[in-house]
Amino acid sequence: MPHLANSSLEDRPTAVVVSLHPRNGLTEQRSSRRLSLQPKYGHGTSHVDVRYQWTGAPDAPTIIVQGGISADRYVAGAEDQPGWWSELVGPGHAVDLAHCRVLSIDWLTPSDFENHPRAISSEDQADALAGLVDALGIGCVAAFVGSSYGAMAALAFAARHPDKLDKLVLLAGAHRAHPMATAQRAIQRQILRLGQASGQINEALSLARQLAMTTYRGSEEFARRFDGTPDYREGRFHFPVEDYLEHAGRSFVQRFDLERFLALSESIDLHDVAPESINVPATLIGFPSDRLVPLADLCELQRRLRGSATLEVVDSPYGHDAFLKETSKLAPLLRQAISCRRGA
Amino acid sequence: MPHLANSSLEDRPTAVVVSLHPRNGLTEQRSSRRLSLQPKYGHGTSHVDVRYQWTGAPDAPTIIVQGGISADRYVAGAEDQPGWWSELVGPGHAVDLAHCRVLSIDWLTPSDFENHPRAISSEDQADALAGLVDALGIGCVAAFVGSSYGAMAALAFAARHPDKLDKLVLLAGAHRAHPMATAQRAIQRQILRLGQASGQINEALSLARQLAMTTYRGSEEFARRFDGTPDYREGRFHFPVEDYLEHAGRSFVQRFDLERFLALSESIDLHDVAPESINVPATLIGFPSDRLVPLADLCELQRRLRGSATLEVVDSPYGHDAFLKETSKLAPLLRQAISCRRGA
């Protein structure tokens, strides 16, 4: 475990799985670290266990990759299961694990802290990642590639820990949530609370997820896929798009829980970082069909960042979810934005 | 009651208020008529009481005006209360009650029928209006001005009763619901059913209305109005846009009921009229910021209508609700589209 030997912090790993894949020579650490953080909406310092995965070429530069609120640390997968960004992160891929190492955490929620703060902030997520960068002896990461809420945490990281970061790569995320998106998320949270009050936990979680999906997806895409006739059953009409959403809602209930959704959804809306405080070079990637993070907000972010900032606009019918779906269009942009060749 | 004397139908008015305003010389009928209809999703013929208002210059041509699902028959108001379109309908206004009469009904729901059909259709609303046109001895209306769901009923009217109609004027409504809008409404209906199941009727009705409002309003408008900081109270953060929506939700609960919302919301999604079956001259009015009825759908409608069709595009930050808010921009377009001068 060469990387842990570098750690000079009192924080010790609580459990580490380190494996060297015999086939591709990659190293992989799945573990958690107990860190001391000062959560923005808490009182003073609190301990928290941060679960992370750190995988890639041994001794190569590290890149942080974080996704949306429902993403986990298994960016490129684990134990032969694909990860949420496997098409872009892997040996030979745009984020090339043969030439870099990727670090990612499971998002923190207030209940992860010893002294539960009243909310979790994108700054807290950034501080947890910065704490890990120290604890693992990384020193400085080559890039922070953040999508959606991950882009918000990346901006917070750049504002608070500029010495630990060479490059920002932001997809479909900005310095603050758009008020229309806040409205839509506030309603999702109200649905969750309605379900909590009545004990309809799964129904509410499914329904809030369905509403979220209507904000993630493109209008054109829905028009193309769901232009069919409704089906009358169980005493009412069911529309094709409704069946699709209900199926997606049920799947989500299997893998997510209500408190986590509430906390991370609120965290997006609390996010507010001044772009003027950020001097790290940035590449922004936005999608005109994104209804959740309008391209105009990325334009404003680009204008207000203090460091150099490039804005790449990618056409896609997939709306906000284009960061998950447009992998072939994103690959060359990511390769250009980050540089992890040995010796780079 | 000269207009009722013309009626040759067996259907008799159940109650009539007829008044001649001494000040402006307008006549006003507020009443209901029992009609025999064959609802699309019912079995055979059923009686239904149709509540209407018919107001304007005596003996002038009649224009039907219908709004969205939450609008009522009091287009220009009643008893000194303003109506939902008072700025556009009144003596000297764009729809000039000094030169025409406006007819409008309260939307029907399945529970209005003796034999409850399993759903209400835009065709049923059109048939009810056509039945009234006969019962009141109107013969043919000079125009049907329909906004939102009202535009859907207008299209159904034109397809089924072309001999009773000279002109179609459609605002923010099309031949079918967009699948993304259907998705958003299906979720509103699920919220309502969740509340029904748990007895949280008012909470669910408020919440469904709040979700609807995020689809009615413009994204730009929200960005301008609600770019403030959240307020921590009652154990959680409240965002400015959330306070606004909750207030609007509470007001809605005072004037609307859950079953009515369910039925009319579903009716929008069931609406499907072939534009090729319509030969009545039409003026379409659309708003680029309308997220519920994309301008592209009005372009398609214009292309597919068999009769002449003009499309007017009105810039507005107000989204779908521009048909309620942009009265000064709409007035000249309405004046041009309809013609009710004496002798016209």
Side-chain angles (χ1 to χ4, degrees):
Chain A
M1 302 191 290
H3 311 288
L4 300 174
N6 294 336
S7 173
S8 62
L9 295 196
E10 57 164 33
D11 301 318
R12 309 306 319 166
T14 49
V16 184
V17 178
V18 179
S19 51
L20 199 66
H21 291 246
R23 211 157 26 113
N24 53 26
L26 302 186
T27 178
E28 181 177 307
Q29 254 187 54
R30 257 176 295 145
S31 179
S32 77
R33 280 279 175 142
R34 172 149 296 194
L35 299 177
S36 294
L37 300 179
Q38 293 193 33
K40 181 174 182 178
Y41 300 107
H43 299 285
T45 299
S46 181
H47 284 108
V48 61
D49 291 320
V50 182
R51 293 182 300 276
Y52 68 93
Q53 188 188 45
W54 190 26
T55 185
D59 306 317
T62 291
I63 291 179
I64 297 174
V65 177
Q66 294 287 146
I69 59 169
S70 63
D72 59 22
R73 60 182 150 159
Y74 304 117
V75 178
E79 290 163 359
D80 298 327
Q81 291 295 306
W84 60 267
W85 233 24
S86 283
E87 290 175 64
L88 287 167
V89 180
H93 292 187
V95 180
D96 189 351
L97 293 184
H99 296 283
C100 73
R101 297 183 77 170
V102 162
L103 175 66
S104 184
I105 62 168
D106 285 345
W107 294 123
L108 297 177
T109 66
S111 61
D112 292 318
F113 289 82
E114 272 181 355
N115 272 325
H116 295 194
R118 61 189 190 183
I120 186 85
S121 69
S122 54
E123 288 97 327
D124 301 336
Q125 314 285 4
D127 289 354
L129 281 158
L132 264 188
V133 166
D134 283 341
L136 299 174
I138 294 169
C140 179
V141 299
F144 191 140
V145 182
S147 298
S148 192
Y149 183 55
M152 293 176 159
L155 283 163
F157 190 103
R160 296 166 71 83
H161 309 283
D163 52 313
K164 291 190 168 64
L165 178 64
D166 287 337
K167 181 73 197 266
L168 265 178
V169 184
L170 310 173
L171 297 92
H175 47 294
R176 63 115 181 77
H178 190 284
M180 180 59 86
T182 297
Q184 293 161 332
R185 274 186 298 266
I187 293 169
Q188 290 162 42
R189 295 193 291 272
Q190 280 206 64
I191 292 172
L192 296 175
R193 283 187 219 103
L194 198 71
Q196 272 182 324
S198 63
Q200 299 161 298
I201 304 292
N202 288 352
E203 294 82 352
L205 185 54
S206 164
L207 196 48
R209 172 64 173 185
Q210 293 178 50
L211 175 50
M213 287 191 64
T214 66
T215 69
Y216 297 155
R217 294 310 183 95
S219 183
E220 257 181 78
E221 180 203 357
F222 268 35
R224 204 181 55 232
R225 289 175 64 184
F226 303 114
D227 209 3
T229 52
D231 178 27
Y232 192 84
R233 60 178 198 272
E234 297 154 18
R236 67 175 179 92
F237 285 97
H238 294 251
F239 295 85
V241 70
E242 198 174 359
D243 289 336
Y244 162 79
L245 289 173
E246 284 176 9
H247 177 80
R250 278 192 300 271
S251 308
F252 188 70
V253 168
Q254 306 302 315
R255 68 179 180 90
F256 221 77
D257 70 81
L258 189 145
E259 288 291 353
R260 186 171 183 78
F261 194 163
L262 268 179
L264 293 174
S265 165
E266 182 184 58
S267 187
I268 296 175
D269 292 320
L270 289 170
H271 170 75
D272 192 1
V273 166
E276 294 78 7
S277 67
I278 297 172
N279 203 11
V280 178
T283 296
L284 320 184
I285 301 176
F287 311 100
S289 61
D290 189 342
R291 297 147 52 95
L292 202 64
V293 182
L295 197 57
D297 286 2
L298 290 193
C299 295
E300 183 186 328
L301 174 59
Q302 180 193 25
R303 208 167 48 240
R304 292 176 53 189
L305 282 168
R306 198 149 53 87
S308 66
T310 308
L311 173 60
E312 304 280 359
V313 177
V314 176
D315 253 328
S316 165
Y318 295 111
H320 188 69
D321 272 359
F323 80 87
L324 294 169
K325 308 273 282 179
E326 295 289 1
T327 50
S328 62
K329 289 183 180 175
L330 293 174
L333 298 177
L334 289 181
R335 280 182 204 277
Q336 197 174 3
I338 58 182
S339 166
C340 273
R341 300 282 149 194
R342 229 170 266 272
Chain B
M1 301 192 293
H3 313 288
L4 300 173
N6 294 336
S7 172
S8 62
L9 295 194
E10 56 162 34
D11 300 317
R12 307 308 318 167
T14 50
V16 185
V17 178
V18 180
S19 51
L20 199 68
H21 291 246
R23 212 158 25 115
N24 52 27
L26 302 186
T27 178
E28 182 179 306
Q29 254 188 53
R30 258 176 296 144
S31 179
S32 77
R33 280 280 175 143
R34 173 149 294 193
L35 299 177
S36 293
L37 300 179
Q38 293 193 33
K40 182 174 183 178
Y41 301 107
H43 299 285
T45 299
S46 180
H47 282 109
V48 62
D49 290 320
V50 182
R51 293 182 300 277
Y52 69 92
Q53 188 187 46
W54 189 26
T55 184
D59 305 317
T62 291
I63 291 179
I64 297 174
V65 177
Q66 294 286 146
I69 60 170
S70 62
D72 59 22
R73 59 183 150 159
Y74 304 116
V75 178
E79 289 163 1
D80 298 326
Q81 291 294 307
W84 60 267
W85 232 25
S86 282
E87 291 176 65
L88 287 167
V89 180
H93 293 188
V95 180
D96 189 351
L97 293 185
H99 295 284
C100 71
R101 298 182 76 171
V102 161
L103 175 67
S104 184
I105 62 168
D106 285 345
W107 294 122
L108 297 177
T109 66
S111 61
D112 292 319
F113 289 83
E114 270 180 359
N115 273 324
H116 294 194
R118 60 191 191 182
I120 186 86
S121 69
S122 54
E123 288 96 327
D124 301 337
Q125 314 286 4
D127 289 356
L129 281 157
L132 264 188
V133 165
D134 282 340
L136 299 174
I138 295 170
C140 178
V141 299
F144 190 140
V145 182
S147 299
S148 193
Y149 183 55
M152 293 176 159
L155 283 163
F157 191 103
R160 297 165 71 82
H161 309 283
D163 52 315
K164 292 191 169 64
L165 178 63
D166 287 338
K167 182 72 195 270
L168 265 177
V169 184
L170 310 173
L171 297 92
H175 48 295
R176 64 114 181 78
H178 191 284
M180 180 59 87
T182 297
Q184 293 160 330
R185 274 186 298 265
I187 293 168
Q188 290 162 41
R189 295 192 292 272
Q190 280 206 64
I191 292 172
L192 296 174
R193 282 188 220 102
L194 198 72
Q196 271 182 323
S198 64
Q200 298 161 299
I201 304 291
N202 288 352
E203 294 82 352
L205 185 56
S206 165
L207 196 46
R209 173 64 174 187
Q210 292 178 51
L211 175 50
M213 286 191 66
T214 66
T215 70
Y216 297 156
R217 293 309 183 96
S219 183
E220 256 181 80
E221 180 203 355
F222 268 35
R224 202 182 54 232
R225 289 175 64 183
F226 303 115
D227 210 4
T229 52
D231 178 26
Y232 191 84
R233 61 178 196 271
E234 296 153 19
R236 67 175 180 91
F237 286 97
H238 293 252
F239 296 86
V241 69
E242 198 174 1
D243 289 336
Y244 163 78
L245 289 173
E246 284 176 9
H247 177 80
R250 277 192 300 272
S251 307
F252 188 71
V253 168
Q254 306 302 317
R255 68 179 181 91
F256 221 76
D257 71 81
L258 190 145
E259 289 291 352
R260 186 170 183 79
F261 194 162
L262 269 179
L264 293 174
S265 166
E266 183 184 57
S267 187
I268 297 175
D269 292 320
L270 290 169
H271 169 75
D272 193 2
V273 166
E276 294 78 6
S277 67
I278 296 172
N279 203 12
V280 178
T283 296
L284 320 183
I285 301 176
F287 312 100
S289 62
D290 189 342
R291 298 147 52 96
L292 201 63
V293 182
L295 198 57
D297 286 2
L298 290 194
C299 294
E300 183 187 328
L301 173 59
Q302 181 193 26
R303 209 166 47 240
R304 291 176 54 189
L305 282 169
R306 199 148 52 88
S308 67
T310 308
L311 173 60
E312 304 281 358
V313 176
V314 177
D315 254 328
S316 166
Y318 295 112
H320 188 69
D321 272 359
F323 80 86
L324 294 168
K325 308 273 283 181
E326 295 290 1
T327 49
S328 62
K329 289 184 180 174
L330 292 174
L333 298 177
L334 290 180
R335 280 182 204 277
Q336 196 173 5
I338 58 182
S339 166
C340 272
R341 299 282 150 194
R342 231 170 263 273

